[in-house]
Amino acid sequence: MTFVGIGGVVHHVVVDGSGPPCVLSPGLGMCWFDWDPVVPLLAPHRTVVRFDRPGLGLSARTRAWPTLAGEARRIAAVLDALGLDGPATVVGHSLAGFHAEAFARLFPARAAGLVLVDSSVEEEPRPRRARAARDTAARAGAALASAAGVPRVAGPALRRAAVRAGRAGGGEEVPYDLVRRAYSTSRWLHAAVAENTTYTDQAVALAALRARRPLPPGLPVTVVAADDPRRPAHRREHWLARQRALATALGGTLHVSGPAGHLLMFDRPGDVAGAVLGVRGRPPRAVPGRKRP
């Protein structure tokens, strides 16, 4: 565990293992410890880098709201701060799938592979209307909720509820003291609101980036999609079809993982690790891990 300054903001960074670097970036409002089930499977073979975006986990807050290019640059800056200038496999879960893909497009020489874990998909995103007014309202709402003590009172409970909803089996596995430390703060609430509010903006920016910046030729891309048995059949098939289309559009391969919820790193850590270890032209493979319900 270490702390590095990036753009005047202190970032919490965790590095494990040795070997070629890979970066694990979690979804909206999530933290470094959400990759805990995957790290032991990767660390014997990879230098595994995890970091908290501003306001999340143990990283300091910033008033600047996230942008797609800014998040791609953040990944590069984390690698720079650690002295890892060689190509890295970048793994993005959910919203961070946008960030990982943008990194590969903006820093092609630094991308060894791309793994998108149940990534967000927006086929035809449209710019938000009244963006400034919406942003102001979101900031004000987060400030009022923070002043009322909502994060301290409800933050960990909201986290536990989200984990239960995001898994096909099981619940929270992270020790409560870590959850409380990360989710009981106003900085977490502000960061989560900022990421949620700018989600569409980042999707629009990615669509524009795809039009002008191709992925590096031959870049290994794997999309790992959750096959969630709790979903109605039509919704289940629709989600997998969208993930398949994403893999095709990026010239990659689809690996369907199930039974699993959106939090694949908890339900199927071996499948996630196998996709990372398979980016050198080998098909994704599952790695033995803990038994899951």
Side-chain angles (χ1 to χ4, degrees):
M1 178 183 301
T2 188
F3 293 87
V4 299
I6 298 173
V9 180
V10 176
H11 287 63
H12 172 234
V13 180
V14 180
V15 182
D16 297 277
S18 61
C22 69
V23 182
L24 308 180
S25 188
L28 193 156
M30 298 175 69
C31 305
W32 89 96
F33 51 61
D34 288 306
W35 294 105
D36 278 355
V38 178
V39 172
L41 307 178
L42 291 176
H45 315 284
R46 298 287 187 272
T47 298
V48 184
V49 178
R50 293 175 284 169
F51 68 97
D52 292 323
R53 295 186 292 274
L56 303 177
L58 302 182
S59 290
R61 179 187 170 188
T62 178
R63 288 195 58 80
W65 277 20
T67 65
L68 182 75
E71 295 309 319
R73 288 193 294 267
R74 194 183 314 283
I75 294 172
V78 167
L79 292 169
D80 288 342
L82 298 173
L84 299 172
D85 54 1
T89 300
V90 185
V91 184
H93 168 253
S94 194
L95 169 64
F98 290 170
H99 308 160
E101 183 184 338
F103 173 85
R105 292 181 184 277
L106 292 173
F107 301 92
R110 304 191 67 174
L114 187 60
V115 177
L116 306 180
V117 180
D118 219 41
S119 178
S120 296
V121 183
E122 296 295 336
E123 290 84 357
E124 297 180 357
R126 298 181 178 180
R128 291 183 296 145
R129 296 181 178 179
R131 175 177 172 180
R134 290 173 182 263
D135 289 354
T136 299
R139 286 182 186 271
L144 287 172
S146 295
V150 171
R152 178 176 54 81
V153 173
L158 291 172
R159 152 77 189 193
R160 287 194 297 272
V163 170
R164 286 195 299 271
R167 297 192 60 181
E172 181 66 85
E173 296 185 4
V174 179
Y176 179 75
D177 61 333
L178 284 181
V179 172
R180 180 180 53 79
R181 191 176 179 188
Y183 285 85
S184 297
T185 66
S186 61
R187 55 185 169 77
W188 164 76
L189 179 60
H190 282 272
V193 167
E195 291 194 338
N196 185 67
T197 303
T198 59
Y199 172 88
T200 299
D201 302 330
Q202 295 189 49
V204 169
L206 181 58
L209 184 62
R210 286 171 174 167
R212 68 177 190 272
R213 297 293 292 268
L215 287 173
L219 180 75
V221 178
T222 301
V223 175
V224 187
D227 187 10
D228 192 340
R230 299 170 302 171
R231 290 175 175 167
H234 69 283
R235 291 184 57 195
R236 188 175 177 181
E237 290 303 319
H238 180 62
W239 178 247
L240 292 179
R242 295 178 72 194
Q243 294 286 298
R244 185 176 294 108
L246 174 64
T248 300
L250 300 181
T253 58
L254 175 72
H255 178 69
V256 177
S257 179
H262 185 53
L263 299 180
L264 269 166
M265 60 276 280
F266 286 110
D267 281 342
R268 307 290 294 184
D271 287 355
V272 176
V276 175
L277 296 177
V279 297
R280 293 184 176 181
R282 300 189 297 272
R285 59 182 178 84
V287 202
R290 292 178 291 172
K291 290 184 178 180
R292 300 286 165 183

